[in-house]
Short mmCIF file of all heavy atoms in Angstrom, two decimals:
data_model
loop_
_atom_site.label_atom_id
_atom_site.label_comp_id
_atom_site.label_asym_id
_atom_site.label_seq_id
_atom_site.Cartn_x
_atom_site.Cartn_y
_atom_site.Cartn_z
N ASP A 1 43.08 14.69 29.20
CA ASP A 1 44.05 13.95 28.42
C ASP A 1 45.27 14.81 28.09
O ASP A 1 45.18 16.03 28.02
CB ASP A 1 43.43 13.47 27.11
CG ASP A 1 42.50 12.28 27.31
OD1 ASP A 1 42.68 11.55 28.29
OD2 ASP A 1 41.61 12.10 26.48
N ALA A 2 46.34 14.14 27.88
CA ALA A 2 47.56 14.84 27.50
C ALA A 2 47.41 15.37 26.08
O ALA A 2 46.65 14.83 25.28
CB ALA A 2 48.75 13.88 27.57
N PRO A 3 48.14 16.46 25.76
CA PRO A 3 48.08 16.98 24.39
C PRO A 3 48.40 15.87 23.38
O PRO A 3 49.25 15.02 23.60
CB PRO A 3 49.16 18.05 24.38
CG PRO A 3 49.29 18.47 25.82
CD PRO A 3 49.01 17.22 26.61
N GLY A 4 47.68 15.87 22.30
CA GLY A 4 47.88 14.85 21.28
C GLY A 4 47.01 13.62 21.48
O GLY A 4 46.92 12.77 20.62
N ASN A 5 46.37 13.50 22.65
CA ASN A 5 45.50 12.37 22.93
C ASN A 5 44.02 12.75 22.86
O ASN A 5 43.16 11.93 23.14
CB ASN A 5 45.79 11.78 24.31
CG ASN A 5 47.13 11.08 24.34
OD1 ASN A 5 47.60 10.59 23.34
ND2 ASN A 5 47.74 11.06 25.51
N SER A 6 43.74 14.00 22.52
CA SER A 6 42.35 14.42 22.47
C SER A 6 41.66 13.81 21.25
O SER A 6 42.30 13.40 20.30
CB SER A 6 42.25 15.95 22.42
OG SER A 6 42.89 16.43 21.26
N GLN A 7 40.35 13.74 21.33
CA GLN A 7 39.57 13.15 20.25
C GLN A 7 38.49 14.13 19.83
O GLN A 7 37.98 14.90 20.65
CB GLN A 7 38.95 11.84 20.72
CG GLN A 7 40.01 10.86 21.13
CD GLN A 7 39.53 9.43 20.97
OE1 GLN A 7 38.46 9.17 20.46
NE2 GLN A 7 40.35 8.51 21.39
N PRO A 8 38.08 14.06 18.58
CA PRO A 8 37.05 14.98 18.12
C PRO A 8 35.68 14.61 18.68
O PRO A 8 35.44 13.45 19.01
CB PRO A 8 37.08 14.81 16.60
CG PRO A 8 37.61 13.45 16.39
CD PRO A 8 38.58 13.20 17.52
N TYR A 9 34.83 15.61 18.81
CA TYR A 9 33.44 15.34 19.13
C TYR A 9 32.79 14.70 17.92
O TYR A 9 33.23 14.88 16.79
CB TYR A 9 32.70 16.64 19.45
CG TYR A 9 33.00 17.18 20.82
CD1 TYR A 9 34.03 18.07 21.03
CD2 TYR A 9 32.23 16.79 21.91
CE1 TYR A 9 34.30 18.57 22.30
CE2 TYR A 9 32.49 17.28 23.18
CZ TYR A 9 33.52 18.17 23.36
OH TYR A 9 33.79 18.65 24.60
N VAL A 10 31.72 13.97 18.14
CA VAL A 10 30.97 13.42 17.02
C VAL A 10 29.84 14.38 16.68
O VAL A 10 29.35 15.12 17.54
CB VAL A 10 30.39 12.01 17.30
CG1 VAL A 10 31.50 11.01 17.51
CG2 VAL A 10 29.45 12.02 18.48
N LYS A 11 29.43 14.35 15.45
CA LYS A 11 28.29 15.14 15.00
C LYS A 11 27.04 14.30 15.28
O LYS A 11 26.87 13.22 14.72
CB LYS A 11 28.41 15.44 13.52
CG LYS A 11 29.66 16.25 13.19
CD LYS A 11 29.78 16.41 11.69
CE LYS A 11 31.08 17.05 11.30
NZ LYS A 11 31.25 17.08 9.85
N TYR A 12 26.20 14.78 16.16
CA TYR A 12 25.08 13.98 16.62
C TYR A 12 24.19 13.50 15.49
O TYR A 12 23.84 12.32 15.43
CB TYR A 12 24.23 14.74 17.65
CG TYR A 12 23.01 13.93 18.01
CD1 TYR A 12 23.13 12.87 18.90
CD2 TYR A 12 21.79 14.16 17.41
CE1 TYR A 12 22.04 12.07 19.21
CE2 TYR A 12 20.69 13.37 17.71
CZ TYR A 12 20.82 12.33 18.61
OH TYR A 12 19.76 11.54 18.90
N GLN A 13 23.79 14.38 14.59
CA GLN A 13 22.86 13.98 13.53
C GLN A 13 23.46 12.89 12.65
O GLN A 13 22.79 11.92 12.31
CB GLN A 13 22.45 15.18 12.66
CG GLN A 13 21.32 14.82 11.69
CD GLN A 13 20.07 14.35 12.41
OE1 GLN A 13 19.53 15.05 13.27
NE2 GLN A 13 19.61 13.15 12.10
N GLN A 14 24.76 13.00 12.32
CA GLN A 14 25.41 11.97 11.52
C GLN A 14 25.50 10.65 12.30
O GLN A 14 25.32 9.58 11.73
CB GLN A 14 26.79 12.41 11.06
CG GLN A 14 26.75 13.44 9.95
CD GLN A 14 26.59 14.87 10.45
OE1 GLN A 14 26.29 15.12 11.61
NE2 GLN A 14 26.76 15.82 9.55
N LEU A 15 25.77 10.74 13.60
CA LEU A 15 25.82 9.53 14.42
C LEU A 15 24.44 8.88 14.48
O LEU A 15 24.32 7.67 14.30
CB LEU A 15 26.31 9.86 15.84
CG LEU A 15 26.31 8.70 16.83
CD1 LEU A 15 27.24 7.58 16.37
CD2 LEU A 15 26.72 9.20 18.22
N GLU A 16 23.42 9.68 14.70
CA GLU A 16 22.06 9.15 14.74
C GLU A 16 21.70 8.49 13.41
O GLU A 16 21.15 7.38 13.38
CB GLU A 16 21.06 10.25 15.06
CG GLU A 16 19.64 9.76 15.13
CD GLU A 16 18.64 10.86 15.40
OE1 GLU A 16 18.91 12.05 15.08
OE2 GLU A 16 17.57 10.53 15.94
N ASP A 17 22.01 9.15 12.30
CA ASP A 17 21.71 8.60 10.97
C ASP A 17 22.43 7.27 10.76
O ASP A 17 21.84 6.31 10.27
CB ASP A 17 22.11 9.58 9.87
CG ASP A 17 21.25 10.84 9.85
OD1 ASP A 17 20.19 10.86 10.50
OD2 ASP A 17 21.67 11.80 9.18
N LEU A 18 23.72 7.22 11.12
CA LEU A 18 24.50 6.00 10.94
C LEU A 18 23.94 4.87 11.80
O LEU A 18 23.76 3.75 11.32
CB LEU A 18 25.97 6.24 11.28
CG LEU A 18 26.87 5.01 11.22
CD1 LEU A 18 26.90 4.42 9.80
CD2 LEU A 18 28.28 5.36 11.66
N LEU A 19 23.65 5.15 13.06
CA LEU A 19 23.12 4.12 13.94
C LEU A 19 21.75 3.62 13.45
O LEU A 19 21.46 2.43 13.51
CB LEU A 19 23.03 4.62 15.37
CG LEU A 19 24.39 4.85 16.05
CD1 LEU A 19 24.19 5.49 17.42
CD2 LEU A 19 25.18 3.57 16.16
N ASN A 20 20.92 4.52 12.95
CA ASN A 20 19.63 4.10 12.40
C ASN A 20 19.81 3.20 11.18
O ASN A 20 19.10 2.21 11.02
CB ASN A 20 18.77 5.31 12.05
CG ASN A 20 18.12 5.91 13.27
OD1 ASN A 20 17.66 5.21 14.16
ND2 ASN A 20 18.07 7.23 13.31
N LYS A 21 20.77 3.53 10.32
CA LYS A 21 21.04 2.68 9.15
C LYS A 21 21.52 1.29 9.58
O LYS A 21 21.11 0.28 9.01
CB LYS A 21 22.09 3.33 8.25
CG LYS A 21 21.61 4.53 7.50
CD LYS A 21 22.75 5.12 6.69
CE LYS A 21 22.41 6.45 6.08
NZ LYS A 21 23.57 7.03 5.36
N VAL A 22 22.39 1.25 10.57
CA VAL A 22 22.89 -0.04 11.07
C VAL A 22 21.73 -0.86 11.63
O VAL A 22 21.60 -2.05 11.33
CB VAL A 22 23.99 0.16 12.14
CG1 VAL A 22 24.31 -1.14 12.85
CG2 VAL A 22 25.24 0.74 11.50
N MET A 23 20.89 -0.22 12.42
CA MET A 23 19.74 -0.93 12.98
C MET A 23 18.80 -1.42 11.88
O MET A 23 18.27 -2.53 11.95
CB MET A 23 18.97 -0.05 13.97
CG MET A 23 19.77 0.35 15.17
SD MET A 23 20.45 -1.08 16.06
CE MET A 23 21.79 -0.33 16.89
N ASP A 24 18.60 -0.61 10.85
CA ASP A 24 17.76 -1.02 9.72
C ASP A 24 18.36 -2.22 9.01
O ASP A 24 17.64 -3.15 8.61
CB ASP A 24 17.58 0.13 8.73
CG ASP A 24 16.70 1.25 9.26
OD1 ASP A 24 15.99 1.04 10.27
OD2 ASP A 24 16.73 2.34 8.66
N ASP A 25 19.69 -2.22 8.84
CA ASP A 25 20.37 -3.34 8.19
C ASP A 25 20.18 -4.63 8.98
O ASP A 25 19.87 -5.68 8.42
CB ASP A 25 21.87 -3.06 8.03
CG ASP A 25 22.18 -1.93 7.07
OD1 ASP A 25 21.32 -1.61 6.23
OD2 ASP A 25 23.29 -1.38 7.17
N VAL A 26 20.37 -4.55 10.29
CA VAL A 26 20.23 -5.73 11.14
C VAL A 26 18.77 -6.20 11.17
O VAL A 26 18.49 -7.40 11.08
CB VAL A 26 20.76 -5.46 12.57
CG1 VAL A 26 20.46 -6.61 13.51
CG2 VAL A 26 22.27 -5.19 12.52
N THR A 27 17.83 -5.26 11.25
CA THR A 27 16.41 -5.60 11.25
C THR A 27 16.02 -6.29 9.94
O THR A 27 15.30 -7.30 9.95
CB THR A 27 15.55 -4.34 11.46
OG1 THR A 27 15.88 -3.78 12.73
CG2 THR A 27 14.07 -4.66 11.41
N SER A 28 16.50 -5.77 8.83
CA SER A 28 16.21 -6.38 7.53
C SER A 28 16.73 -7.81 7.48
O SER A 28 16.05 -8.72 7.00
CB SER A 28 16.82 -5.54 6.42
OG SER A 28 16.63 -6.15 5.17
N PHE A 29 17.94 -8.01 7.98
CA PHE A 29 18.53 -9.35 8.03
C PHE A 29 17.66 -10.28 8.88
O PHE A 29 17.34 -11.40 8.46
CB PHE A 29 19.94 -9.26 8.60
CG PHE A 29 20.63 -10.59 8.72
CD1 PHE A 29 21.18 -11.20 7.61
CD2 PHE A 29 20.74 -11.23 9.95
CE1 PHE A 29 21.83 -12.43 7.72
CE2 PHE A 29 21.38 -12.45 10.06
CZ PHE A 29 21.93 -13.05 8.94
N CYS A 30 17.26 -9.80 10.04
CA CYS A 30 16.44 -10.63 10.92
C CYS A 30 15.09 -10.95 10.30
O CYS A 30 14.59 -12.07 10.41
CB CYS A 30 16.25 -9.94 12.27
SG CYS A 30 17.78 -9.85 13.22
N ASN A 31 14.48 -9.96 9.63
CA ASN A 31 13.19 -10.20 8.98
C ASN A 31 13.31 -11.25 7.89
O ASN A 31 12.41 -12.07 7.71
CB ASN A 31 12.63 -8.90 8.41
CG ASN A 31 12.13 -7.97 9.49
OD1 ASN A 31 11.81 -8.40 10.60
ND2 ASN A 31 12.07 -6.70 9.17
N THR A 32 14.44 -11.26 7.18
CA THR A 32 14.66 -12.29 6.16
C THR A 32 14.75 -13.66 6.82
O THR A 32 14.16 -14.63 6.33
CB THR A 32 15.93 -11.99 5.35
OG1 THR A 32 15.77 -10.74 4.68
CG2 THR A 32 16.21 -13.08 4.32
N LEU A 33 15.48 -13.74 7.91
CA LEU A 33 15.60 -15.03 8.61
C LEU A 33 14.26 -15.52 9.14
O LEU A 33 13.97 -16.71 9.11
CB LEU A 33 16.61 -14.92 9.75
CG LEU A 33 18.07 -14.73 9.37
CD1 LEU A 33 18.93 -14.70 10.62
CD2 LEU A 33 18.55 -15.81 8.43
N LEU A 34 13.44 -14.59 9.61
CA LEU A 34 12.15 -14.98 10.17
C LEU A 34 11.19 -15.52 9.12
O LEU A 34 10.27 -16.27 9.44
CB LEU A 34 11.51 -13.78 10.88
CG LEU A 34 12.18 -13.36 12.18
CD1 LEU A 34 11.58 -12.06 12.69
CD2 LEU A 34 12.06 -14.46 13.23
N THR A 35 11.40 -15.16 7.86
CA THR A 35 10.53 -15.65 6.78
C THR A 35 11.20 -16.77 6.00
O THR A 35 10.69 -17.19 4.97
CB THR A 35 10.15 -14.52 5.83
OG1 THR A 35 11.34 -13.98 5.22
CG2 THR A 35 9.42 -13.40 6.56
N HIS A 36 12.32 -17.25 6.49
CA HIS A 36 13.08 -18.26 5.79
C HIS A 36 12.31 -19.57 5.66
O HIS A 36 11.66 -20.03 6.59
CB HIS A 36 14.39 -18.53 6.55
CG HIS A 36 15.16 -19.69 6.02
ND1 HIS A 36 15.17 -20.91 6.64
CD2 HIS A 36 15.91 -19.82 4.90
CE1 HIS A 36 15.91 -21.75 5.94
NE2 HIS A 36 16.37 -21.11 4.88
N VAL A 37 12.37 -20.14 4.46
CA VAL A 37 11.81 -21.46 4.20
C VAL A 37 12.98 -22.37 3.85
O VAL A 37 13.72 -22.11 2.90
CB VAL A 37 10.80 -21.41 3.03
CG1 VAL A 37 10.27 -22.80 2.73
CG2 VAL A 37 9.68 -20.45 3.34
N THR A 38 13.17 -23.41 4.63
CA THR A 38 14.31 -24.29 4.41
C THR A 38 14.18 -25.08 3.11
O THR A 38 13.09 -25.57 2.78
CB THR A 38 14.50 -25.26 5.59
OG1 THR A 38 15.64 -26.07 5.33
CG2 THR A 38 13.30 -26.16 5.79
N PRO A 39 15.26 -25.18 2.35
CA PRO A 39 15.21 -26.00 1.15
C PRO A 39 15.26 -27.50 1.49
O PRO A 39 14.98 -28.34 0.64
CB PRO A 39 16.43 -25.55 0.34
CG PRO A 39 17.35 -24.98 1.34
CD PRO A 39 16.51 -24.46 2.47
N GLY A 40 15.60 -27.80 2.72
CA GLY A 40 15.60 -29.19 3.18
C GLY A 40 16.86 -29.97 2.84
O GLY A 40 17.67 -29.56 2.02
N TYR A 41 17.05 -31.06 3.53
CA TYR A 41 18.13 -32.03 3.29
C TYR A 41 19.52 -31.41 3.34
O TYR A 41 20.41 -31.82 2.63
CB TYR A 41 17.92 -32.76 1.96
CG TYR A 41 16.59 -33.46 1.88
CD1 TYR A 41 15.58 -32.97 1.08
CD2 TYR A 41 16.34 -34.59 2.67
CE1 TYR A 41 14.34 -33.60 1.03
CE2 TYR A 41 15.11 -35.22 2.63
CZ TYR A 41 14.12 -34.72 1.81
OH TYR A 41 12.89 -35.32 1.77
N GLY A 42 19.71 -30.39 4.17
CA GLY A 42 21.03 -29.80 4.36
C GLY A 42 21.52 -28.95 3.21
O GLY A 42 22.68 -28.56 3.17
N ALA A 43 20.64 -28.65 2.26
CA ALA A 43 21.04 -27.79 1.13
C ALA A 43 21.25 -26.36 1.62
O ALA A 43 20.63 -25.93 2.59
CB ALA A 43 19.96 -27.83 0.06
N PRO A 44 22.13 -25.61 0.95
CA PRO A 44 22.31 -24.21 1.34
C PRO A 44 21.00 -23.45 1.17
O PRO A 44 20.22 -23.73 0.28
CB PRO A 44 23.36 -23.69 0.36
CG PRO A 44 23.93 -24.88 -0.31
CD PRO A 44 22.96 -26.00 -0.16
N SER A 45 20.79 -22.49 2.02
CA SER A 45 19.57 -21.69 1.95
C SER A 45 19.82 -20.42 1.16
O SER A 45 20.59 -19.55 1.59
CB SER A 45 19.11 -21.30 3.35
OG SER A 45 18.10 -20.34 3.27
N PRO A 46 19.19 -20.26 0.00
CA PRO A 46 19.37 -19.04 -0.78
C PRO A 46 18.96 -17.79 -0.01
O PRO A 46 19.62 -16.76 -0.11
CB PRO A 46 18.47 -19.24 -2.00
CG PRO A 46 18.30 -20.71 -2.11
CD PRO A 46 18.34 -21.24 -0.70
N GLN A 47 17.89 -17.86 0.78
CA GLN A 47 17.44 -16.70 1.55
C GLN A 47 18.48 -16.27 2.58
O GLN A 47 18.79 -15.09 2.72
CB GLN A 47 16.13 -16.99 2.25
CG GLN A 47 14.90 -16.86 1.37
CD GLN A 47 13.66 -17.20 2.16
OE1 GLN A 47 13.48 -18.36 2.52
NE2 GLN A 47 12.83 -16.22 2.44
N ILE A 48 18.99 -17.23 3.32
CA ILE A 48 19.97 -16.90 4.35
C ILE A 48 21.27 -16.43 3.70
O ILE A 48 21.87 -15.44 4.15
CB ILE A 48 20.23 -18.10 5.29
CG1 ILE A 48 18.99 -18.33 6.16
CG2 ILE A 48 21.46 -17.87 6.16
CD1 ILE A 48 19.07 -19.52 7.07
N ASN A 49 21.71 -17.08 2.66
CA ASN A 49 22.94 -16.67 1.98
C ASN A 49 22.82 -15.26 1.42
O ASN A 49 23.74 -14.45 1.54
CB ASN A 49 23.31 -17.66 0.88
CG ASN A 49 23.78 -18.98 1.43
OD1 ASN A 49 24.04 -19.13 2.62
ND2 ASN A 49 23.88 -19.97 0.56
N THR A 50 21.68 -14.94 0.81
CA THR A 50 21.46 -13.60 0.28
C THR A 50 21.40 -12.57 1.40
O THR A 50 22.01 -11.50 1.31
CB THR A 50 20.16 -13.55 -0.55
OG1 THR A 50 20.30 -14.46 -1.65
CG2 THR A 50 19.89 -12.16 -1.09
N ALA A 51 20.67 -12.89 2.49
CA ALA A 51 20.57 -11.97 3.61
C ALA A 51 21.93 -11.71 4.25
O ALA A 51 22.27 -10.58 4.57
CB ALA A 51 19.59 -12.51 4.65
N ALA A 52 22.72 -12.77 4.40
CA ALA A 52 24.05 -12.61 5.00
C ALA A 52 24.96 -11.79 4.10
O ALA A 52 25.68 -10.91 4.57
CB ALA A 52 24.66 -13.98 5.26
N THR A 53 24.92 -12.05 2.80
CA THR A 53 25.74 -11.29 1.86
C THR A 53 25.35 -9.81 1.87
O THR A 53 26.22 -8.93 1.89
CB THR A 53 25.58 -11.86 0.43
OG1 THR A 53 26.02 -13.22 0.45
CG2 THR A 53 26.38 -11.08 -0.58
N THR A 54 24.06 -9.55 1.89
CA THR A 54 23.58 -8.16 1.93
C THR A 54 24.01 -7.47 3.21
O THR A 54 24.47 -6.33 3.18
CB THR A 54 22.04 -8.12 1.80
OG1 THR A 54 21.68 -8.72 0.55
CG2 THR A 54 21.51 -6.70 1.85
N LEU A 55 23.88 -8.16 4.35
CA LEU A 55 24.29 -7.56 5.62
C LEU A 55 25.79 -7.27 5.63
O LEU A 55 26.21 -6.19 6.08
CB LEU A 55 23.91 -8.46 6.80
CG LEU A 55 24.21 -7.90 8.19
CD1 LEU A 55 23.48 -6.57 8.42
CD2 LEU A 55 23.83 -8.90 9.26
N VAL A 56 26.59 -8.18 5.13
CA VAL A 56 28.05 -7.96 5.07
C VAL A 56 28.36 -6.72 4.23
O VAL A 56 29.17 -5.87 4.62
CB VAL A 56 28.77 -9.21 4.53
CG1 VAL A 56 30.21 -8.90 4.17
CG2 VAL A 56 28.72 -10.33 5.56
N GLN A 57 27.71 -6.59 3.08
CA GLN A 57 27.94 -5.43 2.21
C GLN A 57 27.48 -4.14 2.89
O GLN A 57 28.19 -3.12 2.86
CB GLN A 57 27.19 -5.60 0.89
CG GLN A 57 27.77 -6.69 0.02
CD GLN A 57 26.87 -7.04 -1.16
OE1 GLN A 57 25.71 -6.64 -1.22
NE2 GLN A 57 27.40 -7.80 -2.09
N ASN A 58 26.31 -4.18 3.53
CA ASN A 58 25.80 -2.99 4.21
C ASN A 58 26.69 -2.59 5.37
O ASN A 58 26.94 -1.40 5.59
CB ASN A 58 24.37 -3.22 4.70
CG ASN A 58 23.37 -3.25 3.57
OD1 ASN A 58 23.65 -2.85 2.45
ND2 ASN A 58 22.19 -3.76 3.84
N MET A 59 27.18 -3.55 6.13
CA MET A 59 28.05 -3.23 7.26
C MET A 59 29.38 -2.63 6.78
O MET A 59 29.92 -1.73 7.40
CB MET A 59 28.28 -4.45 8.14
CG MET A 59 27.00 -5.00 8.78
SD MET A 59 25.94 -3.77 9.57
CE MET A 59 26.91 -3.31 10.96
N ALA A 60 29.88 -3.12 5.65
CA ALA A 60 31.10 -2.54 5.07
C ALA A 60 30.85 -1.08 4.68
O ALA A 60 31.70 -0.22 4.91
CB ALA A 60 31.56 -3.36 3.87
N ALA A 61 29.67 -0.81 4.13
CA ALA A 61 29.33 0.57 3.77
C ALA A 61 29.22 1.43 5.02
O ALA A 61 29.69 2.57 5.04
CB ALA A 61 28.02 0.60 2.98
N ARG A 62 28.60 0.92 6.07
CA ARG A 62 28.47 1.68 7.31
C ARG A 62 29.84 1.98 7.91
O ARG A 62 30.08 3.05 8.45
CB ARG A 62 27.63 0.93 8.35
CG ARG A 62 26.25 0.60 7.97
CD ARG A 62 25.39 1.82 7.62
NE ARG A 62 24.30 1.38 6.77
CZ ARG A 62 24.19 1.70 5.47
NH1 ARG A 62 25.04 2.48 4.90
NH2 ARG A 62 23.19 1.24 4.76
N LYS A 63 30.76 1.02 7.81
CA LYS A 63 32.10 1.21 8.37
C LYS A 63 32.80 2.40 7.71
O LYS A 63 33.50 3.15 8.36
CB LYS A 63 32.91 -0.07 8.20
CG LYS A 63 34.15 -0.12 9.03
CD LYS A 63 34.76 -1.50 9.00
CE LYS A 63 35.99 -1.55 9.89
NZ LYS A 63 36.58 -2.87 9.93
N THR A 64 32.58 2.59 6.41
CA THR A 64 33.21 3.72 5.72
C THR A 64 32.61 5.05 6.15
O THR A 64 33.23 6.09 5.97
CB THR A 64 33.10 3.59 4.19
OG1 THR A 64 31.73 3.69 3.81
CG2 THR A 64 33.69 2.28 3.69
N GLU A 65 31.41 5.03 6.74
CA GLU A 65 30.75 6.26 7.17
C GLU A 65 31.23 6.73 8.55
O GLU A 65 30.98 7.87 8.93
CB GLU A 65 29.23 6.05 7.21
CG GLU A 65 28.64 5.77 5.85
CD GLU A 65 27.16 5.44 5.94
OE1 GLU A 65 26.46 5.99 6.81
OE2 GLU A 65 26.70 4.63 5.12
N ILE A 66 31.91 5.89 9.27
CA ILE A 66 32.31 6.24 10.65
C ILE A 66 33.19 7.49 10.69
O ILE A 66 32.98 8.36 11.52
CB ILE A 66 33.02 5.05 11.32
CG1 ILE A 66 32.02 3.92 11.53
CG2 ILE A 66 33.67 5.46 12.64
CD1 ILE A 66 32.63 2.61 11.99
N SER A 67 34.12 7.60 9.77
CA SER A 67 35.03 8.76 9.81
C SER A 67 34.32 10.08 9.57
O SER A 67 34.82 11.14 9.96
CB SER A 67 36.17 8.57 8.81
OG SER A 67 35.64 8.54 7.49
N SER A 68 33.12 10.05 8.98
CA SER A 68 32.39 11.29 8.74
C SER A 68 31.78 11.86 10.02
O SER A 68 31.25 12.97 10.02
CB SER A 68 31.29 11.06 7.71
OG SER A 68 30.25 10.26 8.26
N LEU A 69 31.87 11.12 11.11
CA LEU A 69 31.26 11.57 12.37
C LEU A 69 32.13 12.56 13.14
O LEU A 69 31.63 13.24 14.03
CB LEU A 69 30.98 10.35 13.26
CG LEU A 69 30.03 9.32 12.68
CD1 LEU A 69 29.95 8.12 13.61
CD2 LEU A 69 28.67 9.91 12.43
N LYS A 70 33.40 12.65 12.80
CA LYS A 70 34.29 13.57 13.52
C LYS A 70 33.90 15.01 13.23
O LYS A 70 33.65 15.38 12.09
CB LYS A 70 35.74 13.37 13.09
CG LYS A 70 36.34 12.07 13.51
CD LYS A 70 37.83 12.05 13.25
CE LYS A 70 38.09 11.63 11.82
NZ LYS A 70 39.51 11.49 11.52
N SER A 71 33.85 15.79 14.27
CA SER A 71 33.55 17.21 14.06
C SER A 71 34.83 17.92 13.66
O SER A 71 35.94 17.53 14.02
CB SER A 71 32.98 17.83 15.33
OG SER A 71 33.95 17.84 16.35
N THR A 72 34.65 18.98 12.91
CA THR A 72 35.80 19.82 12.55
C THR A 72 35.83 21.07 13.43
O THR A 72 36.78 21.82 13.42
CB THR A 72 35.74 20.25 11.07
OG1 THR A 72 34.49 20.88 10.81
CG2 THR A 72 35.88 19.02 10.17
N ARG A 73 34.76 21.26 14.19
CA ARG A 73 34.64 22.40 15.08
C ARG A 73 34.08 21.89 16.39
O ARG A 73 33.12 21.12 16.42
CB ARG A 73 33.70 23.42 14.46
CG ARG A 73 33.59 24.67 15.25
CD ARG A 73 32.80 25.70 14.47
NE ARG A 73 32.55 26.83 15.31
CZ ARG A 73 31.75 27.81 15.01
NH1 ARG A 73 31.10 27.77 13.88
NH2 ARG A 73 31.58 28.81 15.84
N ILE A 74 34.63 22.32 17.49
CA ILE A 74 34.21 21.83 18.79
C ILE A 74 33.11 22.74 19.33
O ILE A 74 33.30 23.96 19.47
CB ILE A 74 35.39 21.80 19.78
CG1 ILE A 74 36.44 20.80 19.30
CG2 ILE A 74 34.91 21.43 21.19
CD1 ILE A 74 37.71 20.81 20.11
N PHE A 75 31.97 22.15 19.64
CA PHE A 75 30.87 22.88 20.23
C PHE A 75 30.66 22.52 21.70
O PHE A 75 29.89 23.16 22.38
CB PHE A 75 29.56 22.61 19.46
CG PHE A 75 29.56 23.18 18.08
CD1 PHE A 75 29.86 22.39 16.99
CD2 PHE A 75 29.25 24.52 17.87
CE1 PHE A 75 29.85 22.91 15.72
CE2 PHE A 75 29.24 25.05 16.60
CZ PHE A 75 29.53 24.25 15.52
N GLY A 76 31.31 21.46 22.17
CA GLY A 76 31.05 20.96 23.50
C GLY A 76 31.85 21.58 24.62
O GLY A 76 31.71 21.18 25.75
N GLU A 77 32.72 22.51 24.30
CA GLU A 77 33.55 23.09 25.37
C GLU A 77 32.98 24.40 25.85
O GLU A 77 32.34 25.12 25.16
CB GLU A 77 34.97 23.28 24.88
CG GLU A 77 35.66 22.00 24.63
CD GLU A 77 37.13 22.18 24.27
OE1 GLU A 77 37.48 23.15 23.59
OE2 GLU A 77 37.91 21.34 24.72
#
């Protein structure tokens, strides 16, 4: 790449931790859906609404963690 277009390496352990948290968040959401009991008659589902709200909040938290993955020292060269 041309100067100024280079990108930092990621820190593997932080990347692994972040990806595991994301997978845990999605798994938790799916587990909630799998145990869902419909309230019937087209009423909103408290379980699904709570699971969706929690996943949205967790994903927002994960998004803020992305910038912590940049290395400040290059080990890959």
Side-chain angles (χ1 to χ4, degrees):
D1 284 335
N5 290 332
S6 61
Q7 300 207 5
Y9 283 91
V10 296
K11 299 175 187 174
Y12 175 78
Q13 189 60 56
Q14 286 85 348
L15 176 61
E16 181 182 25
D17 292 346
L18 176 61
L19 291 174
N20 281 320
K21 288 178 189 177
V22 169
M23 297 305 157
D24 289 345
D25 293 339
V26 172
T27 299
S28 176
F29 179 78
C30 291
N31 287 337
T32 298
L33 292 182
L34 289 172
T35 61
H36 172 257
V37 177
T38 181
Y41 303 107
S45 169
Q47 279 179 292
I48 290 177
N49 290 349
T50 298
T53 299
T54 300
L55 184 59
V56 167
Q57 291 169 348
N58 288 345
M59 297 312 291
R62 300 301 157 249
K63 195 170 182 178
T64 66
E65 296 175 33
I66 292 171
S67 64
S68 70
L69 300 175
K70 291 189 275 184
S71 66
T72 55
R73 184 172 173 190
I74 296 173
F75 291 98
E77 292 186 324

